Amino acid sequence: MRLRKINTTSTAPETGFGTNVNASNQRFLNKDGSPNIARLGEPFFQFINIYHSLITMSWRKFNVIVLCFYFTVNLIFTAIYILLSPDKILGMLYTTKYEKFWEVFFFSAQTLTTVGYGRLNPSGISISTIAAVESLFGLLGFALATGLLYGRFSRPTAKIIYSDKALVAPYRHRDFEFKDMTAFMFRIANARRNQLIEIETQVIFSYNAEEDGRIQRRFQTLDLEISKASFLTLSWTIVHPITDKSPMFGLTLEDLDNLEAEFFISIKAVDDGYAQQVYSRSSYKSSEIVFNAKFIPAISQLPSGQTAVDLKKISSYNLLS
Amino acid sequence: MRLRKINTTSTAPETGFGTNVNASNQRFLNKDGSPNIARLGEPFFQFINIYHSLITMSWRKFNVIVLCFYFTVNLIFTAIYILLSPDKILGMLYTTKYEKFWEVFFFSAQTLTTVGYGRLNPSGISISTIAAVESLFGLLGFALATGLLYGRFSRPTAKIIYSDKALVAPYRHRDFEFKDMTAFMFRIANARRNQLIEIETQVIFSYNAEEDGRIQRRFQTLDLEISKASFLTLSWTIVHPITDKSPMFGLTLEDLDNLEAEFFISIKAVDDGYAQQVYSRSSYKSSEIVFNAKFIPAISQLPSGQTAVDLKKISSYNLLS
Amino acid sequence: MRLRKINTTSTAPETGFGTNVNASNQRFLNKDGSPNIARLGEPFFQFINIYHSLITMSWRKFNVIVLCFYFTVNLIFTAIYILLSPDKILGMLYTTKYEKFWEVFFFSAQTLTTVGYGRLNPSGISISTIAAVESLFGLLGFALATGLLYGRFSRPTAKIIYSDKALVAPYRHRDFEFKDMTAFMFRIANARRNQLIEIETQVIFSYNAEEDGRIQRRFQTLDLEISKASFLTLSWTIVHPITDKSPMFGLTLEDLDNLEAEFFISIKAVDDGYAQQVYSRSSYKSSEIVFNAKFIPAISQLPSGQTAVDLKKISSYNLLS
Amino acid sequence: MRLRKINTTSTAPETGFGTNVNASNQRFLNKDGSPNIARLGEPFFQFINIYHSLITMSWRKFNVIVLCFYFTVNLIFTAIYILLSPDKILGMLYTTKYEKFWEVFFFSAQTLTTVGYGRLNPSGISISTIAAVESLFGLLGFALATGLLYGRFSRPTAKIIYSDKALVAPYRHRDFEFKDMTAFMFRIANARRNQLIEIETQVIFSYNAEEDGRIQRRFQTLDLEISKASFLTLSWTIVHPITDKSPMFGLTLEDLDNLEAEFFISIKAVDDGYAQQVYSRSSYKSSEIVFNAKFIPAISQLPSGQTAVDLKKISSYNLLS
């Protein structure tokens, strides 16, 4: 089967994915905007990657890791105390070996957290030294936890809601005369209460093309009706009018399938709360595109007269008959 | 009543408010620059929103929340200790049930803050375990507090004082010949001692327009006499000269009322103390505009010869006869 | 005396100082780049200003404030304990009233720092409650200290060394033919070991001018031979060639005095260590300008062959005969 | 020997290294991108430099410094206690002078970390005062450690892998007709898992030139086939086509040697994890350039169909026969 020829009048941006990469029906960008690329030959252990994982993982996972770490460190120090001379820990009240183990374990916990009640207290040089090291370790550990917790909260990230589907719908614009004109469109909204200002959007259309008998990957920027806005407070429908100069001109859904089309969406904005630039990306594969449909408005007027946006309706659309 | 026609030669920026939103005499931007838009369908619970609230709320409210949180957490752990086996807490001196409750409560407080005097100290596995968890919880809680306090202080935000009213006043400029020329102007100053440098101002005029019998919202950027400055150390009067090309040309206060006019002000600057970009926004509705008035200078010379700016005079103006 | 007329072909930037401000021989910018402007009508108390002061004050002053704060808070809590019922603090060993006071004071210190040895420990509801509040207060205080210390270290600031004097010296450039051409120049270097990259310099010449019999302040950007550089690793002599189009053309030192000339220097760079934009400003008054002098090179070659810059020589110059 | 003449049609950027610096076969930029310049006359002690060193040193070195600092501070306070009146430390169990020293040392450690078990506890005004100061010192020290640990993790830095060698290889481009055309190229990849987006590359060619019999240093920007990319997820080969307008046109490896050529590489990107600009630099000397060689692809397709990049192959190349 021969691939459909595509208009190439619009600019061809460099995406960093290269032209020799064959898509073979995989995504390049995952829905969350991360590239779908494996990495080989990475060093096994990189502090910065661990930090990054701890910063970005879910709260549930983070809490479990903190608890496990706390338990494990206590267990290790407990083992050291027991191997050295547990009887130098004064004030123990145990009657059984089992209770003795736990007394040592709780002495360790009281040292690590620097709560140091004092009923259990170290004597002798070896045990006192280990306790001094453990309390240092504890303080540094909680210094680390402070940094991690702050990092988790304060990292400026946009959370943009994208409509599940992109639509190709009839479109009328005062500047164009065509009656049957359509446009490629999707809808976004800000999931956070932080204001997003100075928003910029870029849409790149990527597809397979045949050159000298070899299949190559091509990338083209799509011209948008409006690509910049001062605020993202309501929903925003981003529209690429499919003029006769658009690379999408004349393409059917079947064509997009054959071309293994993927639309890369990049959004850049300033988060007003942090006064910092934030970035969001996503992509639409041909399976996530619906022809001949129209978004249902997500904006309404409250009885109070105030304008409201409904985040749950961002993906809602009607098929046109 | 027909709406007055407006010059549309100046550029029309995208504000993100859309053209189909009917103002019906509500503001779009509140005076503090936040959009006056309701949000429906938000997830009930979003950590990032809680963080953002804790960072931006008043100090009074923040302190009350911290105290309540401290009290509540202690109460919860007190309940757990009492339900398990409070008598495993050694060192209590109570004589009544009421005193016993408070001894347990203070044991909890001494554990949570890791002060751990030690007269009150845990024994037995169950109570010791809860105490170990509580001290971990305490440390993480104060790690969080550290992050919040740092976040509250270090968030770069501009605090710009805007004059209460915007004026439309007679105006003379060497480049223009008109005798009766006027200008739209308002005045700003920096409320903080941090230097603001590289300031940029944008003013957008928004109003209702009739198109095909439907009322639509229009937005136009106003050309400013000066839109950039190196420093904001004195007060700065921002001026839009109402030339015959201005969309405000010929408009009276009554016209602005009928058009439901709103002026969006955006200011962008670098905070020299944090070396970061900061943003400020505000708006003027027609009710906040005064015709034929002039600002009273806010700059004076001290007896020492030094130039001084008086922040209390930013809003002061004289009506012209 | 009539003021000398100045070329006004170069661009006139907005500095935010306004044209009506009469210099009367005061500086506008202090040598450290802060504006020499008084502020009246400021709110008495602004948290953000306190934070900013604590972040920017000298280490000596900061340490004294921390110690005084620690002492004062302990004194206040000591007073509260003594007023309530100091005998509820168990474990005291005092023999005199004076010793008793200090026992209570050290109990307070042991509570505030959460060291809580436990010989001194609270009993009774009132004293225990105050102790619980004090330990919370202590933890929050040290959370604050953490933020302040981090803020003090991590604030990205450029520290540029400016030559004490700016010179007006003979100058030869391949693009110009003039034999007697001179140039206005000053020299900078980076005082920190952090790399500064992507440096940009702007020089604004400000002076008095007579218009309609009134003295007005004028500002003009000076064209620089080179205004951007990739690195600031060596010293950099910034040069404004005084062509016949320069506003400085034909001016003598006496003229600069009469015009109450001041040169504003703005430098913008990226601090490679923090990956953030940093800013530095300074100014030269006519009293800091030397005519007919030449900078002594601050760059030399070490015996090892490595190039070296000597920060102590940045201000060194030779008078030309 | 006369130096080869170089095309100078491309732009000459200011690097900040000056033209009078004689390279004499030293590098200007080290491989890690730091300038190879000595600094004389620096102040002996600069807090900000210490902070910067502590932030950027290896973890091993950082940990050793923390441990040594902890030990030394304890030793100093131990000495103070012993000089004052060690017997005012209650609860000691020593039998020998040696054991007494260690009891005092561990009392100090328990105070510094605020663990304060309480068996060892201070009495008397002098010892209690020192203990109160030590616990304050300890808290501030760990506040500092929190800041340092956070700073170490959160500093946004790019870690770009550069190919060990730059190649000059045959090159075919649809826009050029030359059969024997070559290009200068090197390859990069992102060593971190953080996404790099909006990448920009600049290559500056620096070499010696003879002018009026004096050797001067010249700098020229090389035009790149592609200098910007949206993502750096795969490897990226940066290519300068050696057209007849390139300053490298006609140069052999021997010429590059004679010219003491050095290629400065600057890469600028946005780290998506931190939403911040990051910078990386490196350089190639003539000894690190290989003529007539070709990079071995570092991208492959996994059996799963996913595209993969192998970081270990970034430097791999084949010599062409």
Side-chain angles (χ1 to χ4, degrees):
Chain A
M1 184 203 67
R2 282 195 62 82
L3 290 175
R4 216 177 175 298
K5 270 273 189 134
I6 300 295
N7 279 336
T8 54
T9 46
S10 76
T11 58
E14 180 57 30
T15 57
F17 285 112
T19 57
N20 296 317
V21 178
N22 206 315
S24 57
N25 248 341
Q26 69 158 100
R27 297 190 94 98
F28 279 81
L29 279 189
N30 298 315
K31 279 306 270 184
D32 68 357
S34 62
N36 181 18
I37 301 289
R39 290 165 62 78
L40 312 174
E42 274 194 315
F44 174 65
F45 187 79
Q46 270 191 308
F47 256 112
I48 199 82
N49 284 346
I50 293 174
Y51 174 74
H52 194 243
S53 302
L54 287 168
I55 288 292
T56 51
M57 67 177 51
S58 73
W59 276 102
R60 182 187 303 268
K61 210 172 155 191
F62 180 75
N63 289 334
V64 168
I65 283 181
V66 166
L67 266 175
C68 290
F69 189 76
Y70 179 56
F71 187 77
T72 309
V73 169
N74 274 324
L75 222 54
I76 291 169
F77 276 100
T78 303
I80 296 173
Y81 292 123
I82 288 180
L83 290 174
L84 284 174
S85 51
D87 298 323
K88 287 286 186 184
I89 299 171
L90 306 182
M92 290 199 283
L93 303 168
Y94 62 90
T95 51
T96 66
K97 272 214 152 174
Y98 173 77
E99 276 177 23
K100 183 174 175 182
F101 170 83
W102 283 109
E103 287 269 53
V104 176
F105 182 86
F106 291 125
F107 168 71
S108 163
Q110 290 164 23
T111 301
L112 194 68
T113 59
T114 79
V115 74
Y117 298 106
R119 173 169 63 81
L120 301 168
N121 65 79
S123 73
I125 292 171
S126 64
I127 291 291
S128 293
T129 301
I130 300 300
V133 169
E134 186 176 11
S135 55
L136 173 68
F137 199 88
L139 282 170
L140 293 180
F142 290 105
L144 211 64
T146 302
L148 286 173
L149 282 169
Y150 182 66
R152 288 181 70 89
F153 278 121
S154 71
R155 205 168 57 101
T157 52
K159 192 155 169 214
I160 303 277
I161 305 175
Y162 293 85
S163 59
D164 295 339
K165 306 285 181 189
L167 309 184
V168 175
Y171 172 78
R172 211 170 59 101
H173 192 274
R174 43 185 155 168
D175 296 358
F176 301 108
E177 293 293 323
F178 307 101
K179 270 255 156 99
D180 313 333
M181 189 172 175
T182 59
F184 170 84
M185 57 185 75
F186 59 96
R187 195 155 61 171
I188 62 170
N190 180 9
R192 300 250 168 85
R193 250 175 250 161
N194 278 13
Q195 284 310 313
L196 293 182
I197 58 179
E198 308 204 345
I199 301 104
E200 285 180 51
T201 310
Q202 196 192 32
V203 179
I204 295 174
F205 172 40
S206 90
Y207 55 92
N208 286 343
E210 233 173 313
E211 188 168 301
D212 308 337
R214 259 175 78 219
I215 288 179
Q216 294 235 323
R217 197 72 186 167
R218 292 265 177 274
F219 303 92
Q220 299 216 24
T221 306
L222 297 185
D223 294 327
L224 302 180
E225 191 191 42
I226 288 160
S227 63
K228 296 185 184 194
S230 305
F231 295 92
L232 178 56
T233 45
L234 301 170
S235 63
W236 184 15
T237 304
I238 293 158
V239 173
H240 163 65
I242 305 179
T243 66
D244 52 354
K245 283 177 185 155
S246 161
M248 290 184 71
F249 187 69
L251 297 186
T252 62
L253 187 51
E254 201 187 18
D255 290 331
L256 292 177
D257 256 349
N258 285 337
L259 294 164
E260 296 186 5
E262 184 172 353
F263 297 85
F264 299 158
I265 318 298
S266 307
I267 291 173
K268 192 157 104 174
V270 170
D271 183 316
D272 192 38
Y274 296 102
Q276 273 194 21
Q277 201 88 43
V278 289
Y279 298 86
S280 172
R281 289 182 307 282
S282 190
S283 88
Y284 292 99
K285 285 285 287 178
S286 52
S287 58
E288 289 150 354
I289 294 172
V290 176
F291 273 65
N292 213 23
K294 219 179 117 178
F295 283 116
I296 298 170
I299 300 167
S300 58
Q301 203 121 8
L302 296 185
S304 68
Q306 202 191 19
T307 304
V309 55
D310 189 341
L311 301 181
K312 291 204 171 127
K313 287 194 185 153
I314 294 302
S315 291
S316 307
Y317 64 89
N318 277 331
L319 283 176
L320 301 177
S321 56
Chain B
M1 186 202 68
R2 282 195 63 84
L3 290 173
R4 216 178 175 297
K5 271 271 188 136
I6 301 294
N7 278 337
T8 53
T9 45
S10 75
T11 58
E14 179 58 29
T15 57
F17 285 112
T19 57
N20 296 316
V21 179
N22 207 312
S24 56
N25 249 342
Q26 69 158 100
R27 294 192 96 97
F28 279 81
L29 279 189
N30 297 316
K31 280 305 272 185
D32 68 357
S34 63
N36 181 19
I37 301 289
R39 292 164 62 78
L40 312 175
E42 272 193 316
F44 173 66
F45 186 80
Q46 268 192 308
F47 256 113
I48 199 82
N49 285 344
I50 293 175
Y51 173 74
H52 194 244
S53 302
L54 286 168
I55 287 292
T56 52
M57 67 177 51
S58 74
W59 277 102
R60 183 187 302 268
K61 209 172 155 191
F62 180 75
N63 290 334
V64 167
I65 284 181
V66 167
L67 266 175
C68 289
F69 189 75
Y70 179 56
F71 187 77
T72 309
V73 169
N74 273 324
L75 222 54
I76 291 168
F77 277 100
T78 304
I80 296 173
Y81 292 123
I82 289 180
L83 289 175
L84 283 174
S85 51
D87 298 323
K88 287 288 188 182
I89 299 172
L90 306 182
M92 292 199 282
L93 303 167
Y94 63 91
T95 52
T96 66
K97 272 214 151 174
Y98 173 77
E99 276 178 23
K100 184 174 174 183
F101 170 83
W102 283 108
E103 287 269 53
V104 176
F105 181 86
F106 290 125
F107 167 71
S108 163
Q110 291 164 22
T111 302
L112 194 67
T113 59
T114 77
V115 74
Y117 298 106
R119 173 168 63 81
L120 301 169
N121 66 77
S123 72
I125 292 170
S126 64
I127 291 291
S128 294
T129 301
I130 301 299
V133 169
E134 186 176 11
S135 55
L136 173 68
F137 198 88
L139 282 170
L140 293 180
F142 290 107
L144 211 63
T146 302
L148 285 173
L149 282 170
Y150 182 67
R152 287 181 71 89
F153 278 121
S154 70
R155 204 169 56 102
T157 53
K159 191 153 169 216
I160 303 277
I161 305 175
Y162 293 85
S163 59
D164 295 340
K165 306 284 182 190
L167 310 183
V168 175
Y171 171 79
R172 212 170 57 102
H173 191 275
R174 45 186 154 167
D175 295 357
F176 301 108
E177 294 293 323
F178 307 102
K179 270 253 156 100
D180 313 333
M181 191 173 173
T182 59
F184 170 85
M185 56 186 74
F186 59 95
R187 195 154 62 172
I188 62 170
N190 179 9
R192 300 249 169 85
R193 250 175 252 159
N194 279 13
Q195 284 311 312
L196 293 182
I197 58 179
E198 309 205 344
I199 301 105
E200 285 180 51
T201 310
Q202 196 193 33
V203 179
I204 294 174
F205 173 41
S206 88
Y207 56 91
N208 287 342
E210 233 172 314
E211 187 167 302
D212 308 337
R214 261 175 76 220
I215 289 178
Q216 294 235 324
R217 197 73 188 168
R218 292 267 178 273
F219 303 93
Q220 299 216 22
T221 306
L222 298 185
D223 294 327
L224 303 179
E225 192 192 41
I226 289 159
S227 63
K228 296 186 184 193
S230 304
F231 294 91
L232 179 57
T233 46
L234 301 169
S235 64
W236 183 17
T237 304
I238 293 157
V239 174
H240 163 64
I242 305 179
T243 65
D244 53 353
K245 284 179 184 155
S246 160
M248 290 184 73
F249 188 68
L251 296 185
T252 63
L253 186 51
E254 201 187 19
D255 289 330
L256 292 177
D257 255 351
N258 285 337
L259 294 164
E260 297 188 3
E262 184 171 352
F263 296 85
F264 300 158
I265 319 297
S266 308
I267 291 173
K268 192 157 104 174
V270 170
D271 183 317
D272 192 38
Y274 296 102
Q276 273 194 20
Q277 200 87 44
V278 289
Y279 299 85
S280 173
R281 289 183 308 282
S282 190
S283 87
Y284 292 100
K285 284 287 287 179
S286 53
S287 57
E288 289 151 355
I289 294 173
V290 176
F291 272 65
N292 213 24
K294 218 180 117 178
F295 284 117
I296 297 170
I299 300 167
S300 58
Q301 204 121 10
L302 296 186
S304 67
Q306 202 192 19
T307 303
V309 56
D310 189 341
L311 300 181
K312 291 204 170 127
K313 288 195 184 150
I314 293 303
S315 292
S316 306
Y317 63 91
N318 278 330
L319 283 176
L320 301 176
S321 56
Chain C
M1 185 204 67
R2 284 194 61 82
L3 290 174
R4 214 176 177 300
K5 271 275 189 130
I6 301 295
N7 278 337
T8 54
T9 46
S10 75
T11 58
E14 180 58 30
T15 58
F17 285 112
T19 58
N20 296 317
V21 178
N22 206 314
S24 56
N25 249 343
Q26 68 158 99
R27 297 191 94 96
F28 278 81
L29 277 190
N30 297 314
K31 280 307 271 185
D32 69 356
S34 62
N36 181 18
I37 302 288
R39 291 165 63 79
L40 311 175
E42 271 194 317
F44 173 66
F45 186 79
Q46 270 191 307
F47 256 113
I48 199 84
N49 284 344
I50 293 175
Y51 173 75
H52 194 243
S53 302
L54 287 168
I55 288 291
T56 53
M57 67 177 50
S58 73
W59 277 102
R60 182 187 303 268
K61 210 172 155 191
F62 180 75
N63 289 334
V64 168
I65 284 181
V66 167
L67 265 175
C68 289
F69 188 77
Y70 179 55
F71 187 77
T72 309
V73 168
N74 274 324
L75 222 54
I76 291 168
F77 276 101
T78 303
I80 295 173
Y81 292 124
I82 289 180
L83 289 174
L84 283 173
S85 50
D87 299 322
K88 287 287 188 184
I89 298 172
L90 306 181
M92 291 198 283
L93 303 167
Y94 63 90
T95 51
T96 66
K97 271 215 153 175
Y98 174 78
E99 276 177 25
K100 183 175 174 183
F101 170 83
W102 283 109
E103 288 268 54
V104 177
F105 182 86
F106 291 124
F107 167 71
S108 163
Q110 290 163 21
T111 301
L112 195 67
T113 59
T114 77
V115 73
Y117 298 107
R119 172 168 65 80
L120 302 168
N121 66 77
S123 74
I125 292 170
S126 64
I127 291 291
S128 294
T129 301
I130 301 300
V133 169
E134 187 176 10
S135 55
L136 173 68
F137 198 88
L139 282 170
L140 293 180
F142 291 106
L144 212 62
T146 302
L148 286 173
L149 283 169
Y150 182 67
R152 287 181 70 89
F153 278 121
S154 70
R155 205 169 55 102
T157 52
K159 193 157 168 211
I160 302 277
I161 304 175
Y162 293 86
S163 58
D164 295 338
K165 307 284 181 190
L167 310 184
V168 175
Y171 171 79
R172 212 169 58 99
H173 191 275
R174 47 186 153 165
D175 296 358
F176 301 108
E177 294 293 322
F178 308 101
K179 270 252 155 103
D180 314 331
M181 190 172 173
T182 58
F184 170 85
M185 56 186 75
F186 59 95
R187 194 155 62 172
I188 62 170
N190 179 9
R192 300 249 169 84
R193 247 173 255 160
N194 278 13
Q195 284 311 312
L196 293 183
I197 57 178
E198 308 204 346
I199 301 104
E200 284 180 52
T201 310
Q202 196 193 31
V203 179
I204 294 174
F205 173 40
S206 88
Y207 56 92
N208 286 343
E210 232 173 313
E211 186 167 303
D212 308 337
R214 260 175 77 218
I215 288 179
Q216 293 235 323
R217 198 71 189 168
R218 292 266 177 274
F219 303 93
Q220 299 216 22
T221 307
L222 297 185
D223 293 327
L224 303 179
E225 192 191 41
I226 288 159
S227 62
K228 296 186 184 192
S230 304
F231 295 93
L232 179 56
T233 45
L234 301 169
S235 63
W236 184 17
T237 304
I238 293 157
V239 174
H240 163 64
I242 306 181
T243 66
D244 53 354
K245 284 179 184 154
S246 162
M248 291 183 71
F249 187 68
L251 295 186
T252 63
L253 187 50
E254 202 187 18
D255 290 330
L256 292 177
D257 255 350
N258 286 337
L259 294 164
E260 296 187 4
E262 183 171 352
F263 297 84
F264 300 158
I265 319 298
S266 308
I267 291 172
K268 193 156 103 175
V270 170
D271 182 317
D272 192 38
Y274 296 102
Q276 273 194 20
Q277 201 88 42
V278 289
Y279 299 85
S280 173
R281 289 182 307 282
S282 191
S283 87
Y284 292 100
K285 285 286 288 178
S286 52
S287 57
E288 290 151 354
I289 294 172
V290 176
F291 271 66
N292 213 24
K294 219 180 116 177
F295 284 116
I296 298 170
I299 300 167
S300 58
Q301 203 121 9
L302 295 185
S304 68
Q306 201 190 20
T307 303
V309 57
D310 189 340
L311 300 182
K312 291 204 170 128
K313 288 195 185 153
I314 294 302
S315 291
S316 308
Y317 62 90
N318 278 331
L319 284 176
L320 300 178
S321 54
Chain D
M1 184 204 67
R2 283 195 60 81
L3 289 174
R4 214 174 176 300
K5 271 276 190 129
I6 300 294
N7 278 338
T8 54
T9 46
S10 75
T11 59
E14 180 57 31
T15 57
F17 284 113
T19 57
N20 297 316
V21 178
N22 207 315
S24 57
N25 248 343
Q26 68 158 100
R27 295 191 95 97
F28 279 80
L29 278 189
N30 297 314
K31 281 304 273 184
D32 68 358
S34 61
N36 181 19
I37 301 289
R39 291 164 62 78
L40 311 174
E42 272 194 317
F44 173 67
F45 186 80
Q46 269 191 307
F47 255 113
I48 199 82
N49 284 345
I50 293 174
Y51 173 74
H52 194 243
S53 302
L54 287 168
I55 288 291
T56 53
M57 67 178 49
S58 73
W59 276 102
R60 183 187 302 268
K61 210 172 156 192
F62 180 76
N63 289 335
V64 168
I65 284 181
V66 166
L67 265 175
C68 289
F69 189 77
Y70 179 56
F71 187 77
T72 309
V73 169
N74 274 325
L75 222 54
I76 291 169
F77 276 100
T78 303
I80 296 173
Y81 291 124
I82 287 179
L83 289 175
L84 283 174
S85 51
D87 298 323
K88 287 287 188 184
I89 298 171
L90 306 181
M92 291 199 284
L93 302 168
Y94 63 91
T95 51
T96 68
K97 271 214 153 175
Y98 173 78
E99 276 178 22
K100 184 175 174 182
F101 169 83
W102 283 109
E103 287 269 53
V104 176
F105 182 87
F106 290 125
F107 168 71
S108 164
Q110 289 163 22
T111 302
L112 194 68
T113 58
T114 78
V115 74
Y117 297 107
R119 172 168 66 80
L120 301 168
N121 65 79
S123 74
I125 292 170
S126 64
I127 290 291
S128 293
T129 301
I130 301 300
V133 169
E134 186 177 11
S135 55
L136 173 68
F137 199 88
L139 282 170
L140 293 180
F142 290 106
L144 212 62
T146 302
L148 286 173
L149 283 169
Y150 182 67
R152 287 181 71 88
F153 278 121
S154 70
R155 204 169 57 102
T157 53
K159 193 156 168 213
I160 302 277
I161 304 175
Y162 293 86
S163 59
D164 296 338
K165 307 283 182 190
L167 309 184
V168 175
Y171 171 79
R172 211 169 58 101
H173 191 275
R174 45 186 153 165
D175 295 358
F176 301 108
E177 293 293 322
F178 308 102
K179 270 254 156 100
D180 314 332
M181 190 171 173
T182 58
F184 170 85
M185 56 184 77
F186 58 96
R187 194 154 61 171
I188 62 171
N190 179 9
R192 300 249 169 85
R193 247 174 253 160
N194 277 14
Q195 284 311 313
L196 294 182
I197 57 178
E198 308 203 348
I199 300 104
E200 285 180 50
T201 310
Q202 196 192 31
V203 179
I204 294 174
F205 172 40
S206 90
Y207 56 92
N208 287 342
E210 233 172 314
E211 185 168 304
D212 309 336
R214 261 175 77 219
I215 287 178
Q216 293 234 325
R217 197 72 187 167
R218 292 265 177 274
F219 303 92
Q220 298 216 24
T221 307
L222 298 185
D223 294 326
L224 302 179
E225 190 190 43
I226 289 160
S227 63
K228 297 186 184 193
S230 304
F231 295 92
L232 179 56
T233 44
L234 301 170
S235 63
W236 184 15
T237 304
I238 293 157
V239 173
H240 162 64
I242 305 180
T243 65
D244 52 354
K245 284 178 183 154
S246 161
M248 291 184 71
F249 187 69
L251 296 185
T252 63
L253 187 50
E254 202 186 20
D255 291 329
L256 291 177
D257 255 349
N258 286 337
L259 294 164
E260 296 187 5
E262 183 172 351
F263 297 84
F264 300 157
I265 317 298
S266 309
I267 291 174
K268 193 157 104 174
V270 171
D271 183 317
D272 192 38
Y274 296 102
Q276 273 194 21
Q277 201 87 43
V278 289
Y279 299 86
S280 172
R281 291 183 306 283
S282 191
S283 87
Y284 292 99
K285 286 286 286 177
S286 53
S287 57
E288 290 150 355
I289 294 172
V290 176
F291 272 65
N292 213 23
K294 217 179 117 178
F295 284 115
I296 298 170
I299 300 166
S300 57
Q301 203 121 9
L302 296 185
S304 67
Q306 203 192 19
T307 304
V309 55
D310 188 342
L311 301 181
K312 291 205 170 127
K313 288 195 185 152
I314 293 302
S315 291
S316 308
Y317 63 90
N318 277 331
L319 283 175
L320 301 177
S321 56

